[in-house]
Amino acid sequence: MHTFEYVRATDTREVVQLLADDPAAACLAGGTTQLDLMKDGVLEPPTLIDITRLPLHGIERRGEILHVGALVTMEELAADATVAERLPMVRESLLQGASVQLRNMATIGGNLLQRTRCRYFRDPTVSACNKRTPDSGCAAVEGVARMHAVLGASERCIALHASDLAVALVALDAAVHVQGPSHSRTVPLTEFYLTAAESPQRENVLEHAELITEVEIPLPPAAARSGYLKVRDRTSYEFALTSAAVLLVVDHATIRQARVGLGGVGTKPWRAYEAEHVLTGAPATTATFLDAADATMRDAWTVPGTAFKVPLARRTLVRELQNVSGVDV
């Protein structure tokens, strides 16, 4: 790892000003992604700003919105009573997203900003990576691509967004509060992420001198049921091959409301609007669920190593729709 200057900050505005003054500086919270990338030589910030002492901790329910500080850990959010009662798919995505050791370190803000696990992006000896070096090519398209994306992908980049939590939050219309040097703004997560097809080298709309301070999660109706299903090579800590976050409100066997997010298949946490359109107002049947899954995966872009994900993603979504709705398999 290269040498760097370490700065410990205690004020949010101090952090964004430090970032504004140094275009190459980076922040450190739990460090579960940042330090890995620095050890691999992918990132070499000259200054590392420790933000763990910023006043961005705490979880507070205000009416029907849950406000979560960016420095709340994954384990703290999973243990929250409101999350357990009203947001089971968020809790399940957290518990399945990392080992308990990592959940005690990793922060919510950091989880949403985690970089791709693409082996080619994380190997500086690979020259063809549009995410690291624009217009250099994409080694994954011709290489081993089993853990890569099929939605939002193109010949320019098929790097997968690996977050489990972000999939659930995108489905719930969560938003992030962002602080800049002279401004603040709120960005819906559905507008926060960029696909690799749009911009391989840029994964979200966050500017360099901006900091996520809070995540805002609208609580679903009390009648809603939700869940998160993660399909992976092994039950212990592993990244998703495919996953589905599903929330349904079913009334007299008719789906009145549907929210669907997909993981393990997108270059960003994928909101499955096509599936929601098919589901809303339709009977809660396996036939409806199959139609929704087909609509979601219709525009998948595959290479030989990722083609298996299309049928697997369909089956994953259908199974979780069955689980949440109570329809027999």
Side-chain angles (χ1 to χ4, degrees):
M1 186 187 295
H2 75 292
T3 58
F4 57 89
E5 180 184 3
Y6 172 81
V7 178
R8 178 177 289 174
T10 57
D11 179 77
T12 303
R13 293 193 177 276
E14 175 192 3
V15 172
V16 296
Q17 191 58 56
L18 287 169
L19 291 171
D21 292 341
D22 185 349
C27 292
L28 175 70
T32 55
T33 292
Q34 180 72 33
L35 293 180
D36 282 348
L37 292 172
M38 291 173 65
K39 290 175 183 177
D40 290 340
V42 177
L43 299 179
E44 296 184 341
T47 303
L48 202 56
I49 307 167
D50 184 341
I51 63 171
T52 56
R53 285 168 173 76
L54 297 187
L56 304 179
H57 300 268
I59 304 169
E60 182 182 357
R61 178 176 175 179
R62 303 174 201 161
E64 291 301 287
I65 296 178
L66 193 67
H67 295 262
V68 182
L71 293 177
V72 169
T73 67
M74 294 174 67
E75 187 67 13
E76 288 170 336
L77 186 59
D80 182 76
T82 300
V83 172
E85 178 187 359
R86 298 287 296 276
L87 299 166
M89 75 178 182
V90 170
R91 185 172 190 272
E92 291 165 14
S93 72
L94 288 162
L95 295 179
Q96 295 179 54
S99 66
V100 65
Q101 293 91 341
L102 285 173
R103 294 199 305 268
N104 277 316
M105 288 295 296
T107 63
I108 300 306
N111 183 280
L112 298 182
L113 291 173
Q114 67 179 280
R115 304 300 301 274
T116 180
R117 296 286 166 172
C118 173
R119 65 170 67 184
Y120 305 101
F121 168 73
R122 288 175 175 255
D123 184 354
T125 66
V126 175
S127 59
C129 178
N130 286 324
K131 191 171 285 295
R132 272 190 286 106
T133 308
D135 300 321
S136 63
C138 178
V141 170
E142 300 293 335
V144 178
R146 188 168 181 270
M147 298 302 294
H148 287 69
V150 299
L151 296 175
S154 73
E155 68 279 352
R156 299 179 66 200
C157 183
I158 57 173
L160 179 75
H161 195 285
S163 174
D164 292 285
L165 173 63
V167 174
L169 294 184
V170 165
L172 289 167
D173 286 326
V176 290
H177 294 187
V178 174
Q179 180 66 53
S182 59
H183 68 278
S184 60
R185 59 180 178 139
T186 300
V187 185
L189 280 184
T190 51
E191 301 174 12
F192 182 75
Y193 294 103
L194 303 172
T195 67
E198 293 175 284
S199 173
Q201 73 276 14
R202 188 176 183 188
E203 298 168 355
N204 57 65
V205 301
L206 197 69
E207 300 293 342
H208 172 71
E210 290 185 321
L211 184 71
I212 292 178
T213 58
E214 183 180 285
V215 181
E216 185 179 286
I217 311 174
L219 298 177
R225 296 180 60 185
S226 72
Y228 184 76
L229 177 62
K230 181 175 182 178
V231 177
R232 46 192 165 173
D233 286 326
R234 56 182 182 175
T235 303
S236 58
Y237 173 49
E238 184 60 277
F239 296 102
L241 291 173
T242 60
S243 68
V246 170
L247 181 144
L248 297 175
V249 175
V250 180
D251 180 31
H252 294 91
T254 298
I255 302 169
R256 303 300 180 191
Q257 183 178 347
R259 301 285 183 84
V260 179
L262 297 178
V265 292
T267 59
K268 67 177 182 178
W270 203 262
R271 179 71 176 269
Y273 290 111
E274 298 88 352
E276 295 175 4
H277 178 74
V278 171
L279 293 166
T280 304
T285 64
T286 296
T288 298
F289 302 158
L290 287 166
D291 288 343
D294 287 343
T296 298
M297 302 307 298
R298 187 170 293 130
D299 295 326
W301 194 92
T302 66
V303 297
T306 61
F308 79 98
K309 285 197 170 189
V310 176
L312 183 60
R314 289 192 189 108
R315 292 196 294 269
T316 302
L317 178 54
V318 170
R319 176 57 62 89
E320 190 59 5
L321 286 166
Q322 291 170 330
N323 291 342
V324 171
S325 67
V327 172
D328 292 335
V329 178

